Amino acid sequence: MRALISCLLLFGWLHAPLACAETYQIVTEEWAPYNYNEQGKIRGMATDIVRAVMHLAGDDFEIIMLPSMRTVHVLQTRPKTIMYSLFRTPEREALYKWVGPIVEESIHPYQLRSAPQRVTTLAELRQARRITTRIAGLVPNVLQTAGFQNLDRSANSSEQLYRMLLAGRTEIIVGDTDAGVRYYSQQLGISAATLQKIPVEIYKSSLYIAFSRDCDDALIARWADALAQLRRTGIMQIIQQRYEPPTD
């Protein structure tokens, strides 16, 4: 076991080719810090965990990054497809098979710290002039279902959300976890003092690996066992900590 832990900690499994008898495909979207493209390579907390799971399970499936609006469509229509990271919701429960959780996360709105009107309550959030989200996805759907009338679903990406906020094209943005906000702030050179988290939890759930319904149950069990092994040995926690925001 010590040799296994040392091997995984050195991330030797990230590029090691493994034998694979079945043709499965893994799809993911750009949603840092869980899955994102960095200099042509797919990285992130969930990516590291999925690759570690594959190593332990003896699989080596191709990972493809797709636009956000295509990932779930491919998961629903292409046989033998695996997707990460996906929030496991009651509406999605029966549509896929699941392995997880990878991590539990919360999503909050953000505004500029210099904003003339500080938003601190749900009522104030509902009365805000505009809340900008991405065009599609779970977060805008949750807000719309909750009856928000001030949604601006115009951002094509998380990065665009921050650019719009900094340019004064919106007052409030929502779409990323705290870890995601930290990642994009670093990428765009935004100082920690620029953004202010609004203390209203929009959504809280756990991220999972989702499998199309035709995926073999033996594969699901193999991946579940591998994820449990990562959790037992502490490797999963180590991977998660590499991407977590530092505590204040």
Side-chain angles (χ1 to χ4, degrees), residues 64-147:
I64 298 174
M65 180 162 286
L66 299 174
S68 297
M69 289 184 285
R70 285 189 56 199
T71 49
V72 172
H73 174 74
V74 171
L75 179 62
Q76 293 174 345
T77 59
R78 183 193 182 278
K80 293 185 177 179
T81 296
I82 303 166
M83 177 184 172
Y84 72 95
S85 317
L86 195 64
F87 281 118
R88 186 173 183 175
T89 68
E91 296 77 16
R92 293 169 171 169
E93 182 66 34
L95 298 177
Y96 316 114
K97 298 177 181 180
W98 303 89
V99 168
I102 297 174
V103 65
E104 184 178 72
E105 293 288 12
S106 297
I107 295 175
H108 296 82
Y110 278 77
Q111 65 180 157
L112 292 176
R113 193 177 295 271
S114 60
Q117 183 66 43
R118 183 70 60 85
V119 175
T120 59
T121 68
L122 178 60
E124 291 172 347
L125 192 63
R126 289 185 180 277
Q127 295 168 5
R129 190 165 74 90
R130 178 170 47 203
I131 302 172
T132 301
T133 73
R134 298 209 289 187
I135 292 173
L138 178 66
V139 172
N141 291 343
V142 166
L143 291 170
Q144 186 167 326
T145 301

Coordinates of all heavy atoms in Angstrom, one line a residue, residues 64-147:
I64 N -12.2 13.9 -23.2 CA -12.5 14.9 -24.2 C -13.2 16.1 -23.5 O -14.1 15.9 -22.8 CB -13.3 14.4 -25.3 CG1 -12.6 13.2 -26.1 CG2 -13.6 15.5 -26.3 CD1 -13.4 12.6 -27.1
M65 N -12.7 17.3 -23.7 CA -13.3 18.5 -23.2 C -14.2 19.1 -24.3 O -13.8 19.3 -25.4 CB -12.3 19.5 -22.8 CG -13.0 20.8 -22.2 SD -11.8 21.8 -21.2 CE -11.7 20.8 -19.7
L66 N -15.5 19.3 -23.9 CA -16.5 19.8 -24.8 C -17.1 21.1 -24.3 O -17.0 21.3 -23.1 CB -17.6 18.8 -25.0 CG -17.2 17.4 -25.6 CD1 -18.5 16.5 -25.6 CD2 -16.7 17.5 -27.0
P67 N -17.8 21.9 -25.1 CA -18.5 23.0 -24.7 C -19.6 22.6 -23.7 O -20.1 21.5 -23.8 CB -19.1 23.6 -25.9 CG -18.3 23.1 -27.0 CD -17.8 21.8 -26.6
S68 N -19.8 23.5 -22.7 CA -20.7 23.1 -21.6 C -22.1 22.5 -22.1 O -22.6 21.6 -21.5 CB -21.0 24.3 -20.7 OG -19.7 24.7 -20.1
M69 N -22.7 23.2 -23.1 CA -24.0 22.7 -23.5 C -24.0 21.4 -24.2 O -25.0 20.8 -24.5 CB -24.6 23.8 -24.4 CG -25.0 25.1 -23.6 SD -25.8 26.3 -24.6 CE -24.4 27.0 -25.5
R70 N -22.8 20.9 -24.6 CA -22.7 19.6 -25.3 C -22.5 18.4 -24.4 O -22.8 17.3 -24.8 CB -21.7 19.7 -26.4 CG -22.0 20.5 -27.6 CD -21.0 20.3 -28.7 NE -20.8 18.9 -29.1 CZ -19.8 18.5 -29.7 NH1 -18.8 19.3 -30.0 NH2 -19.7 17.2 -30.0
T71 N -21.9 18.7 -23.3 CA -21.4 17.5 -22.4 C -22.6 16.6 -22.0 O -22.6 15.4 -22.2 CB -20.7 18.0 -21.2 OG1 -21.4 19.1 -20.5 CG2 -19.3 18.5 -21.6
V72 N -23.6 17.2 -21.4 CA -24.8 16.5 -21.0 C -25.5 15.8 -22.2 O -26.0 14.7 -22.1 CB -25.7 17.3 -20.1 CG1 -27.0 16.6 -19.8 CG2 -25.1 17.8 -18.9
H73 N -25.6 16.5 -23.3 CA -26.2 16.0 -24.5 C -25.5 14.7 -24.9 O -26.1 13.7 -25.2 CB -26.2 17.0 -25.6 CG -26.7 16.4 -26.9 ND1 -28.1 16.2 -27.2 CD2 -26.1 16.1 -28.1 CE1 -28.2 15.7 -28.4 NE2 -27.0 15.6 -28.9
V74 N -24.1 14.7 -24.9 CA -23.3 13.6 -25.3 C -23.5 12.4 -24.3 O -23.7 11.3 -24.7 CB -21.8 13.9 -25.4 CG1 -21.0 12.7 -25.6 CG2 -21.6 14.9 -26.6
L75 N -23.6 12.8 -23.0 CA -23.8 11.8 -22.0 C -25.1 11.1 -22.2 O -25.3 9.9 -22.0 CB -23.7 12.4 -20.6 CG -24.0 11.5 -19.4 CD1 -22.9 10.5 -19.3 CD2 -24.0 12.4 -18.1
Q76 N -26.1 11.8 -22.7 CA -27.5 11.3 -22.8 C -27.7 10.5 -24.1 O -28.5 9.6 -24.2 CB -28.5 12.4 -22.8 CG -28.6 13.0 -21.4 CD -29.6 14.2 -21.4 OE1 -29.9 14.7 -22.4 NE2 -30.0 14.6 -20.2
T77 N -26.8 10.8 -25.1 CA -27.1 10.2 -26.5 C -26.0 9.2 -27.0 O -26.3 8.4 -27.8 CB -27.2 11.3 -27.5 OG1 -26.0 12.1 -27.5 CG2 -28.4 12.2 -27.2
R78 N -24.8 9.4 -26.5 CA -23.7 8.5 -26.9 C -23.5 7.3 -26.0 O -23.4 7.5 -24.8 CB -22.4 9.2 -27.0 CG -21.2 8.4 -27.6 CD -19.9 9.0 -27.4 NE -18.8 8.3 -27.9 CZ -18.2 7.2 -27.4 NH1 -18.7 6.8 -26.2 NH2 -17.2 6.5 -28.0
P79 N -23.5 6.1 -26.5 CA -23.3 4.9 -25.7 C -22.0 4.9 -25.0 O -21.0 5.5 -25.5 CB -23.5 3.7 -26.6 CG -24.2 4.3 -27.8 CD -23.8 5.7 -27.9
K80 N -21.9 4.3 -23.8 CA -20.7 4.1 -23.1 C -19.9 5.4 -22.9 O -18.8 5.6 -23.2 CB -19.8 3.1 -23.8 CG -20.3 1.6 -23.8 CD -19.4 0.6 -24.3 CE -19.9 -0.8 -24.3 NZ -19.0 -1.8 -24.8
T81 N -20.7 6.3 -22.3 CA -20.1 7.7 -22.0 C -20.1 7.9 -20.5 O -21.0 7.6 -19.8 CB -20.9 8.8 -22.8 OG1 -20.8 8.5 -24.2 CG2 -20.3 10.1 -22.4
I82 N -19.0 8.5 -20.1 CA -18.8 8.9 -18.7 C -18.5 10.4 -18.7 O -17.9 11.0 -19.5 CB -17.5 8.2 -18.1 CG1 -17.7 6.7 -18.2 CG2 -17.3 8.6 -16.7 CD1 -16.4 5.9 -18.0
M83 N -19.1 11.1 -17.7 CA -19.0 12.6 -17.6 C -18.6 12.9 -16.2 O -19.1 12.4 -15.2 CB -20.2 13.3 -18.0 CG -20.1 14.8 -17.8 SD -21.6 15.7 -18.2 CE -21.2 17.3 -17.6
Y84 N -17.7 13.9 -16.0 CA -17.4 14.5 -14.7 C -17.2 16.0 -15.0 O -16.8 16.4 -16.1 CB -16.2 13.9 -14.1 CG -14.9 14.2 -14.8 CD1 -14.1 15.3 -14.3 CD2 -14.4 13.5 -15.9 CE1 -12.9 15.6 -14.9 CE2 -13.2 13.9 -16.5 CZ -12.5 14.9 -16.0 OH -11.3 15.3 -16.6
S85 N -17.4 16.9 -14.0 CA -18.0 16.7 -12.7 C -19.4 17.1 -12.9 O -19.7 18.2 -13.4 CB -17.3 17.5 -11.7 OG -15.9 17.5 -11.8
L86 N -20.3 16.4 -12.3 CA -21.8 16.7 -12.4 C -22.4 16.7 -11.0 O -22.2 15.7 -10.3 CB -22.4 15.6 -13.3 CG -23.8 16.0 -13.9 CD1 -23.7 17.2 -14.8 CD2 -24.4 14.8 -14.6
F87 N -23.2 17.7 -10.8 CA -24.0 17.7 -9.5 C -25.1 16.7 -9.6 O -25.8 16.6 -10.6 CB -24.6 19.1 -9.3 CG -23.7 20.1 -8.7 CD1 -23.4 21.3 -9.5 CD2 -23.1 19.9 -7.5 CE1 -22.5 22.2 -8.9 CE2 -22.2 20.9 -7.0 CZ -22.0 22.0 -7.7
R88 N -25.2 15.9 -8.6 CA -26.2 14.8 -8.5 C -27.5 15.4 -8.0 O -27.6 15.7 -6.8 CB -25.7 13.7 -7.7 CG -26.6 12.4 -7.7 CD -25.9 11.3 -7.0 NE -26.7 10.1 -7.0 CZ -26.3 8.9 -6.6 NH1 -25.1 8.8 -6.0 NH2 -27.1 7.8 -6.6
T89 N -28.5 15.6 -8.8 CA -29.7 16.3 -8.4 C -30.9 15.2 -8.5 O -30.8 14.2 -9.2 CB -30.1 17.5 -9.3 OG1 -30.3 17.0 -10.6 CG2 -28.9 18.4 -9.4
P90 N -32.0 15.5 -7.8 CA -33.1 14.6 -7.9 C -33.6 14.4 -9.4 O -34.0 13.3 -9.8 CB -34.2 15.2 -7.1 CG -33.4 16.0 -6.1 CD -32.2 16.5 -6.8
E91 N -33.6 15.5 -10.2 CA -34.0 15.4 -11.5 C -33.1 14.6 -12.4 O -33.5 13.9 -13.4 CB -34.0 16.8 -12.1 CG -35.0 17.8 -11.5 CD -34.6 18.3 -10.1 OE1 -33.4 18.2 -9.8 OE2 -35.4 18.9 -9.4
R92 N -31.8 14.5 -12.0 CA -30.9 13.7 -12.8 C -30.7 12.3 -12.3 O -30.1 11.4 -13.0 CB -29.5 14.4 -12.8 CG -29.4 15.7 -13.5 CD -28.1 16.5 -13.2 NE -27.9 17.7 -14.0 CZ -27.0 18.6 -13.7 NH1 -26.1 18.4 -12.7 NH2 -26.9 19.6 -14.5
E93 N -31.2 12.0 -11.1 CA -30.9 10.7 -10.5 C -31.1 9.5 -11.3 O -30.2 8.6 -11.4 CB -31.7 10.6 -9.2 CG -31.5 9.4 -8.4 CD -30.1 9.3 -7.8 OE1 -29.5 10.4 -7.4 OE2 -29.5 8.2 -7.7
A94 N -32.3 9.4 -12.0 CA -32.6 8.2 -12.7 C -32.0 8.2 -14.1 O -32.1 7.2 -14.8 CB -34.1 8.0 -12.8
L95 N -31.4 9.3 -14.5 CA -30.9 9.4 -15.9 C -29.6 8.7 -16.1 O -29.3 8.3 -17.2 CB -30.8 10.9 -16.3 CG -32.1 11.7 -16.3 CD1 -31.8 13.1 -16.7 CD2 -33.1 11.1 -17.3
Y96 N -28.8 8.6 -15.0 CA -27.5 8.1 -15.2 C -27.1 7.1 -14.0 O -27.9 7.0 -13.1 CB -26.4 9.3 -15.1 CG -26.9 10.5 -15.9 CD1 -27.2 11.7 -15.3 CD2 -26.9 10.4 -17.3 CE1 -27.6 12.8 -16.1 CE2 -27.3 11.5 -18.1 CZ -27.6 12.7 -17.4 OH -28.0 13.8 -18.2
K97 N -26.0 6.5 -14.1 CA -25.4 5.8 -13.0 C -24.3 6.7 -12.4 O -23.8 7.5 -13.1 CB -24.8 4.4 -13.5 CG -25.9 3.5 -14.1 CD -25.2 2.2 -14.7 CE -26.3 1.3 -15.3 NZ -25.7 0.1 -15.8
W98 N -24.1 6.5 -11.1 CA -23.2 7.4 -10.4 C -22.1 6.8 -9.6 O -22.3 5.7 -9.0 CB -24.1 8.2 -9.4 CG -25.3 9.0 -10.1 CD1 -26.5 8.5 -10.3 CD2 -25.3 10.3 -10.6 NE1 -27.3 9.4 -10.9 CE2 -26.6 10.5 -11.1 CE3 -24.3 11.3 -10.7 CZ2 -26.9 11.7 -11.7 CZ3 -24.7 12.5 -11.3 CH2 -25.9 12.7 -11.8
V99 N -21.0 7.5 -9.5 CA -19.9 7.1 -8.6 C -19.4 8.4 -8.0 O -19.2 9.4 -8.6 CB -18.7 6.5 -9.4 CG1 -17.5 6.4 -8.4 CG2 -19.1 5.1 -9.8
G100 N -19.3 8.4 -6.6 CA -18.9 9.6 -5.9 C -19.3 9.5 -4.4 O -19.6 8.4 -4.0
P101 N -19.4 10.6 -3.8 CA -19.1 12.0 -4.3 C -17.6 12.2 -4.4 O -16.8 11.6 -3.8 CB -19.7 12.9 -3.3 CG -19.6 12.1 -2.0 CD -19.8 10.7 -2.4
I102 N -17.3 13.2 -5.3 CA -15.9 13.7 -5.4 C -15.6 14.7 -4.4 O -14.6 14.7 -3.6 CB -15.6 14.2 -6.8 CG1 -15.8 13.1 -7.9 CG2 -14.2 14.9 -6.9 CD1 -15.6 13.6 -9.3
V103 N -16.5 15.7 -4.3 CA -16.4 16.8 -3.3 C -17.7 17.4 -3.2 O -18.5 17.4 -4.1 CB -15.3 17.8 -3.8 CG1 -15.7 18.5 -5.0 CG2 -15.0 18.8 -2.7
E104 N -18.0 18.0 -2.0 CA -19.2 18.8 -1.8 C -18.9 20.3 -1.9 O -17.9 20.7 -1.3 CB -19.8 18.5 -0.4 CG -21.2 19.2 -0.2 CD -21.8 18.9 1.2 OE1 -21.2 19.4 2.2 OE2 -22.8 18.2 1.2
E105 N -19.7 21.0 -2.6 CA -19.4 22.4 -2.8 C -20.6 23.3 -2.7 O -21.7 22.8 -2.9 CB -18.7 22.6 -4.2 CG -17.4 22.0 -4.4 CD -16.3 22.8 -3.6 OE1 -16.6 23.6 -2.8 OE2 -15.1 22.5 -3.9
S106 N -20.4 24.6 -2.4 CA -21.5 25.6 -2.4 C -21.1 26.7 -3.4 O -20.0 26.9 -3.8 CB -21.6 26.2 -1.0 OG -21.9 25.2 -0.1
I107 N -22.2 27.3 -3.9 CA -22.1 28.4 -4.9 C -22.7 29.6 -4.3 O -23.9 29.6 -3.9 CB -22.7 28.0 -6.3 CG1 -21.9 26.8 -6.9 CG2 -22.7 29.2 -7.2 CD1 -22.5 26.3 -8.1
H108 N -22.0 30.7 -4.3 CA -22.4 32.0 -3.9 C -22.3 33.1 -5.0 O -21.4 33.0 -5.8 CB -21.6 32.5 -2.6 CG -21.8 31.6 -1.4 ND1 -21.0 30.4 -1.3 CD2 -22.5 31.7 -0.3 CE1 -21.4 29.9 -0.1 NE2 -22.3 30.6 0.5
P109 N -23.1 34.1 -4.9 CA -22.9 35.2 -5.8 C -21.7 36.1 -5.3 O -21.3 36.0 -4.2 CB -24.2 36.0 -5.7 CG -25.1 35.2 -4.9 CD -24.3 34.3 -4.1
Y110 N -21.2 36.9 -6.3 CA -20.1 37.8 -6.0 C -20.4 39.2 -6.6 O -21.0 39.3 -7.6 CB -18.7 37.3 -6.5 CG -18.1 36.2 -5.6 CD1 -18.6 34.9 -5.6 CD2 -17.0 36.6 -4.8 CE1 -18.0 34.0 -4.7 CE2 -16.4 35.7 -3.9 CZ -16.9 34.4 -3.9 OH -16.3 33.4 -3.1
Q111 N -19.9 40.2 -5.9 CA -20.0 41.6 -6.4 C -18.6 42.2 -6.2 O -17.7 41.7 -5.5 CB -21.1 42.4 -5.8 CG -20.9 42.6 -4.3 CD -22.0 43.4 -3.7 OE1 -22.2 43.3 -2.5 NE2 -22.8 44.2 -4.4
L112 N -18.4 43.4 -6.7 CA -17.2 44.1 -6.4 C -17.2 44.7 -5.0 O -18.3 45.1 -4.5 CB -17.0 45.3 -7.4 CG -16.8 45.0 -8.9 CD1 -16.7 46.2 -9.7 CD2 -15.5 44.2 -9.0
R113 N -16.1 44.6 -4.3 CA -16.0 45.1 -3.0 C -16.3 46.6 -3.0 O -16.8 47.2 -2.0 CB -14.7 44.8 -2.4 CG -14.6 45.0 -0.9 CD -13.2 44.6 -0.3 NE -13.0 43.2 -0.5 CZ -13.3 42.3 0.4 NH1 -13.9 42.6 1.5 NH2 -13.0 41.0 0.2
S114 N -16.0 47.3 -4.1 CA -16.2 48.7 -4.2 C -17.6 49.1 -4.6 O -17.9 50.3 -4.7 CB -15.2 49.3 -5.2 OG -15.4 48.7 -6.5
A115 N -18.5 48.1 -4.7 CA -19.9 48.4 -5.1 C -20.5 49.4 -4.1 O -20.4 49.2 -2.9 CB -20.7 47.1 -5.2
P116 N -21.3 50.4 -4.6 CA -21.9 51.4 -3.7 C -23.0 50.7 -2.8 O -23.2 51.2 -1.7 CB -22.5 52.4 -4.7 CG -22.6 51.7 -6.0 CD -21.5 50.7 -6.0
Q117 N -23.6 49.7 -3.3 CA -24.6 49.0 -2.5 C -24.2 47.6 -2.2 O -24.2 46.7 -3.1 CB -26.0 49.0 -3.3 CG -27.2 48.5 -2.6 CD -27.5 49.3 -1.3 OE1 -27.6 50.5 -1.4 NE2 -27.8 48.6 -0.2
R118 N -23.9 47.3 -1.0 CA -23.5 46.0 -0.6 C -24.7 45.1 -0.4 O -25.7 45.4 0.3 CB -22.7 46.0 0.8 CG -22.2 44.7 1.3 CD -21.1 44.2 0.4 NE -19.9 45.1 0.4 CZ -19.0 45.1 1.3 NH1 -19.0 44.3 2.4 NH2 -17.9 45.9 1.2
V119 N -24.7 43.9 -1.1 CA -25.9 43.0 -1.0 C -25.5 41.9 0.1 O -24.4 41.3 0.0 CB -26.1 42.3 -2.3 CG1 -27.2 41.3 -2.2 CG2 -26.5 43.4 -3.4
T120 N -26.4 41.7 1.0 CA -26.1 40.7 2.1 C -27.2 39.7 2.3 O -27.0 38.8 3.1 CB -25.8 41.5 3.4 OG1 -26.9 42.3 3.8 CG2 -24.6 42.4 3.2
T121 N -28.4 39.9 1.8 CA -29.5 39.1 2.0 C -30.2 38.6 0.7 O -29.9 39.1 -0.3 CB -30.6 39.8 2.8 OG1 -31.2 40.8 2.0 CG2 -30.0 40.4 4.1
L122 N -31.0 37.5 0.9 CA -31.7 37.0 -0.3 C -32.6 38.0 -0.9 O -32.8 38.1 -2.1 CB -32.4 35.7 0.1 CG -33.3 35.0 -1.0 CD1 -32.4 34.6 -2.1 CD2 -34.0 33.8 -0.4
A123 N -33.3 38.7 0.0 CA -34.3 39.8 -0.4 C -33.5 40.8 -1.3 O -34.0 41.3 -2.3 CB -35.0 40.4 0.8
E124 N -32.4 41.3 -0.8 CA -31.6 42.3 -1.5 C -31.1 41.7 -2.9 O -31.1 42.4 -3.9 CB -30.4 42.7 -0.7 CG -30.8 43.6 0.5 CD -29.7 43.9 1.5 OE1 -28.6 43.2 1.3 OE2 -29.8 44.7 2.4
L125 N -30.8 40.4 -2.9 CA -30.3 39.8 -4.1 C -31.5 39.8 -5.1 O -31.2 40.0 -6.3 CB -29.9 38.4 -3.8 CG -29.1 37.6 -4.9 CD1 -27.8 38.4 -5.2 CD2 -28.8 36.2 -4.5
R126 N -32.7 39.5 -4.7 CA -33.8 39.5 -5.6 C -34.1 40.9 -6.2 O -34.6 41.1 -7.3 CB -35.1 39.0 -4.9 CG -35.0 37.5 -4.6 CD -36.3 37.0 -4.0 NE -36.3 35.6 -3.7 CZ -36.6 34.6 -4.6 NH1 -36.9 34.9 -5.8 NH2 -36.5 33.3 -4.2
Q127 N -33.8 41.9 -5.4 CA -34.0 43.3 -5.8 C -32.9 43.9 -6.5 O -33.0 45.1 -7.0 CB -34.4 44.1 -4.5 CG -35.6 43.7 -3.8 CD -35.8 44.4 -2.4 OE1 -35.0 45.2 -2.0 NE2 -36.8 44.0 -1.7
A128 N -31.8 43.2 -6.7 CA -30.6 43.8 -7.4 C -31.0 44.0 -8.8 O -31.9 43.4 -9.4 CB -29.5 42.8 -7.3
R129 N -30.4 45.0 -9.4 CA -30.7 45.4 -10.8 C -30.5 44.3 -11.8 O -31.2 44.0 -12.7 CB -29.9 46.6 -11.2 CG -30.4 47.2 -12.5 CD -29.9 48.6 -12.7 NE -28.5 48.6 -13.1 CZ -28.0 48.6 -14.3 NH1 -28.9 48.6 -15.3 NH2 -26.7 48.6 -14.6
R130 N -29.3 43.5 -11.6 CA -29.0 42.5 -12.5 C -28.1 41.5 -11.9 O -27.1 41.8 -11.2 CB -28.3 43.1 -13.8 CG -27.9 42.1 -14.8 CD -27.4 42.9 -16.1 NE -26.6 44.0 -15.7 CZ -26.4 45.1 -16.5 NH1 -27.1 45.2 -17.6 NH2 -25.6 46.1 -16.1
I131 N -28.3 40.2 -12.2 CA -27.4 39.1 -11.8 C -27.1 38.3 -13.0 O -27.9 37.8 -13.7 CB -28.1 38.1 -10.8 CG1 -28.6 38.9 -9.5 CG2 -27.2 37.0 -10.4 CD1 -29.5 38.0 -8.6
T132 N -25.8 38.3 -13.3 CA -25.3 37.7 -14.6 C -24.8 36.2 -14.3 O -24.1 36.0 -13.3 CB -24.2 38.5 -15.2 OG1 -24.7 39.8 -15.5 CG2 -23.8 37.8 -16.5
T133 N -25.3 35.3 -15.1 CA -24.8 33.9 -15.0 C -24.4 33.5 -16.4 O -24.5 34.2 -17.4 CB -26.0 33.0 -14.5 OG1 -26.9 32.9 -15.6 CG2 -26.6 33.6 -13.3
R134 N -24.0 32.2 -16.5 CA -23.7 31.7 -17.8 C -25.0 31.4 -18.5 O -26.1 31.3 -17.9 CB -22.9 30.4 -17.7 CG -21.5 30.6 -17.1 CD -20.5 29.7 -17.5 NE -20.6 28.3 -17.0 CZ -19.8 27.3 -17.2 NH1 -18.7 27.5 -17.8 NH2 -20.0 26.1 -16.6
I135 N -24.9 31.2 -19.9 CA -26.1 31.1 -20.7 C -26.9 29.8 -20.3 O -28.1 29.9 -20.2 CB -25.7 30.9 -22.2 CG1 -25.1 32.3 -22.7 CG2 -26.8 30.5 -23.0 CD1 -24.6 32.2 -24.1
A136 N -26.2 28.7 -20.0 CA -26.9 27.5 -19.7 C -26.2 26.8 -18.5 O -25.1 27.1 -18.2 CB -26.9 26.6 -20.9
G137 N -26.9 25.9 -17.9 CA -26.3 25.1 -16.8 C -27.2 25.1 -15.6 O -28.3 25.6 -15.5
L138 N -26.7 24.4 -14.6 CA -27.5 24.2 -13.4 C -27.8 25.5 -12.6 O -28.9 25.7 -12.2 CB -26.8 23.2 -12.4 CG -27.5 22.9 -11.1 CD1 -28.8 22.1 -11.3 CD2 -26.6 22.1 -10.2
V139 N -26.8 26.3 -12.5 CA -27.0 27.5 -11.7 C -28.0 28.5 -12.2 O -29.0 28.9 -11.5 CB -25.6 28.3 -11.5 CG1 -25.8 29.6 -10.8 CG2 -24.7 27.4 -10.7
P140 N -28.0 28.8 -13.5 CA -29.1 29.7 -14.0 C -30.4 29.0 -13.9 O -31.5 29.7 -13.7 CB -28.7 30.0 -15.5 CG -27.7 28.9 -15.8 CD -27.0 28.6 -14.5
N141 N -30.5 27.7 -14.1 CA -31.8 27.0 -14.0 C -32.3 27.0 -12.6 O -33.5 27.2 -12.3 CB -31.6 25.6 -14.4 CG -31.4 25.5 -15.9 OD1 -31.6 26.4 -16.7 ND2 -30.9 24.3 -16.4
V142 N -31.4 26.9 -11.6 CA -31.8 27.0 -10.2 C -32.4 28.4 -9.9 O -33.4 28.5 -9.2 CB -30.6 26.6 -9.2 CG1 -30.9 27.0 -7.8 CG2 -30.3 25.2 -9.3
L143 N -31.7 29.4 -10.3 CA -32.1 30.8 -10.0 C -33.5 31.0 -10.7 O -34.4 31.7 -10.1 CB -31.1 31.8 -10.5 CG -29.8 31.8 -9.7 CD1 -28.7 32.6 -10.4 CD2 -30.0 32.3 -8.3
Q144 N -33.6 30.6 -11.9 CA -34.9 30.8 -12.7 C -36.0 30.1 -12.0 O -37.1 30.6 -11.9 CB -34.7 30.4 -14.1 CG -35.9 30.7 -15.0 CD -35.6 30.6 -16.5 OE1 -34.5 30.8 -16.9 NE2 -36.6 30.1 -17.2
T145 N -35.8 28.9 -11.6 CA -36.8 28.1 -10.9 C -37.2 28.7 -9.6 O -38.4 28.7 -9.2 CB -36.3 26.7 -10.6 OG1 -36.0 26.0 -11.9 CG2 -37.4 25.8 -9.9
A146 N -36.2 29.4 -8.9 CA -36.5 30.1 -7.7 C -37.2 31.4 -7.9 O -37.6 32.1 -6.9 CB -35.2 30.3 -6.9
G147 N -37.5 31.8 -9.1 CA -38.3 33.0 -9.4 C -37.5 34.3 -9.5 O -38.2 35.3 -9.5

